Amino acid sequence: MATVVKHTARTMLTLCIITMICSVSLAERVLKEKETINHVEKETKGFLKAVVDFLWDSGKGSYEPVWPEMKFDWKIIVGSIVGFLGAALGSVGGVGGGGIFVPMLALIIGFDSKSSTAISKCMIMGAALSTVYYNMRLRHPALDMPLIDYDLALLFQPMLMLGISIGVVCNVMFADWMVTVLLIIIFIGTSTKALLKGIDTWKKETILKKEKAKQLEEEPKTGEDYKPLPSGPAGAQDEVVPLLKNIYWKELSLLVYVWVAFLIIQIVKTYTKTCSIEYWILNFLQVPIAISVALFEAVCLFKGTRVIQSKGKEITNWKVHQILLYCFCGIIAGMVGGLLGLGGGFILGPLFLEMGIPPQVASATSTFSMLFSSSMSVVQYYYLDRFPVPYASYFVLVATIAAFAGQHVVRKIIAILGRASIIIFILASTIFISAISLGGVGIENMIVKMENHEYMGFENLCTQS
């Protein structure tokens, strides 16, 4: 009996020990799992916090303006040559040349990226002013109308102006690497699209020239004048007329109204505190001003009371989604233009070509729209104190002279070769060069900042303005 009791007691003790060991092991496992979960949660929270700190820290800011002293040396000479070529090519292609101006100002002259953007806008304004004055005296290559399509400008210019205002604010807030990524994506896409359009136009021009030669061989004595299609070469069709007789005053008045209204808002904003209620009310006032004018033109196009005359006999039945898409493209062009210091023509130019607008008209109308938007962004950058006036004035003069010379030379080349597709190839090449140069500068700046462990997030608009 005693043996049985001892055996039972020993068995119970063994079971108790095993139970305790299992309980301790289970508890230890639970504790370890909790510690692992807590560790993962801490790592996740730490990662998210690191991302937030990287993108936004109200106590940090990486922007410090760098304005080199203005003196006559090799930098000014080389910068002037590059700026001259950029303005000449940009004005012909209808893109402004900002993609060449910004790297030149940053790499050669020595400005910081954001000051380069602001001065680039000044140069675009000068080039656009010279180009518009040149184009306003010319007629359409094949139709009885001005070279500048005022209805087309009226649809896009208000949205472009609105986008510019948004883009300037984004320029203050966005980090350089964000701008670089956006720039490379957009520029490569638009340059490829423009190049394909140029090749297609070249082929059409070749067919037209062959048909003309064949017609002259078959009927050498008819004396009939050959007239190219609207998308064909300008040649002798570029008739020069008095400036005042070549302006559509009603459309121009609406465009000037939008510009003046935006200008008044920008001036009044300087007397308000940044990020105050009054500041944001004034900013949002730009929306109804731009939309009202664009909506007026859109409704007229939809109803058929107005037409895009430069398309010639091709009649467009405008759909609502089409008009909304074009207005959206105008805003995007303005936003990216204000953000990168470009004119917006790198989007408008290819877009106009896709709409069936002749190359000469697409370039002239794009530049005409850019004149309003670039001059407005210059005003905004001036009130933000983003550029030195002496430097800006000098490069505006360079760009103005270059644009006029570029227009004159290229028009002569088109008249000799009989190919307006040259304008499209200039447009595509200028955009592609801009993508390489601006993208290269942006990537280099990113690497330097990463090596120096500098802040690379958003800036605070309320402290940077």
Side-chain angles (χ1 to χ4, degrees), residues 88-295:
L89 294 175
S91 64
V92 173
V95 293
I100 298 174
F101 300 152
V102 173
M104 177 272 291
L105 292 165
L107 297 179
I108 299 176
I109 305 299
F111 283 98
D112 64 277
S113 58
K114 295 193 174 183
S115 296
S116 299
T117 298
I119 299 176
S120 169
K121 271 296 184 183
C122 298
M123 296 179 70
I124 291 171
M125 180 189 69
L129 182 64
S130 176
T131 304
V132 167
Y133 173 75
Y134 184 91
N135 289 333
M136 288 184 85
R137 300 174 302 152
L138 300 178
R139 302 293 289 178
H140 190 284
L143 301 173
D144 186 20
M145 62 171 290
L147 182 64
I148 296 172
D149 192 322
Y150 287 89
D151 281 299
L152 189 62
L154 200 57
L155 179 64
F156 282 92
Q157 183 256 13
M159 296 293 100
L160 191 68
M161 296 277 290
L162 181 60
I164 284 288
S165 296
I166 300 172
V168 170
V169 173
C170 292
N171 177 267
V172 176
M173 296 179 60
F174 278 25
D176 292 337
W177 67 268
M178 303 174 192
V179 174
T180 300
V181 172
L182 180 65
L183 179 146
I184 293 174
I185 293 172
I186 292 178
F187 274 33
I188 291 178
T190 52
S191 62
T192 303
K193 195 76 173 177
L195 178 61
L196 295 175
K197 185 67 178 179
I199 294 172
D200 182 60
T201 305
W202 180 279
K203 291 178 179 178
K204 290 180 179 178
E205 289 171 345
T206 302
I207 294 172
L208 287 171
K209 291 173 77 69
K210 288 180 179 179
E211 289 178 354
K212 177 187 176 182
K214 185 178 179 180
Q215 181 182 3
L216 291 175
E217 288 178 2
E218 292 176 353
E219 302 177 12
K221 297 180 180 180
T222 55
E224 293 181 0
D225 293 331
Y226 167 71
K227 273 205 166 186
L229 295 176
S231 59
Q237 309 296 329
D238 278 342
E239 180 188 356
V240 178
V241 299
L243 181 66
L244 297 179
K245 293 183 179 180
N246 211 27
I247 297 176
Y248 288 1
W249 292 102
K250 182 180 179 180
E251 288 78 3
L252 182 61
S253 299
L254 286 172
L255 295 171
V256 172
Y257 156 73
V258 176
W259 188 88
V260 171
F262 273 54
L263 177 63
I264 292 172
I265 289 173
Q266 296 304 320
I267 294 175
V268 174
K269 267 173 53 179
T270 60
Y271 297 98
T272 62
K273 184 181 178 181
T274 305
C275 293
S276 63
I277 296 176
E278 295 83 3
Y279 175 87
W280 291 116
I281 290 175
L282 287 170
N283 271 319
F284 282 112
L285 276 178
Q286 297 173 105
V287 177
I289 293 171
I291 289 180
S292 61
V293 176
L295 186 62

Side-chain angles (χ1 to χ4, degrees), residues 54-64 114 169-176 178 386 449 454-465:
F54 176 77
L55 293 176
W56 180 261
D57 188 341
S58 59
K60 292 184 178 180
S62 61
Y63 176 65
E64 291 184 6
K114 295 193 174 183
V169 173
C170 292
N171 177 267
V172 176
M173 296 179 60
F174 278 25
D176 292 337
M178 303 174 192
R386 281 298 172 93
K449 286 193 174 186
E454 295 182 27
Y455 175 67
M456 296 175 63
F458 288 100
E459 304 285 357
N460 192 328
L461 174 66
C462 300
T463 58
Q464 294 292 322
S465 298

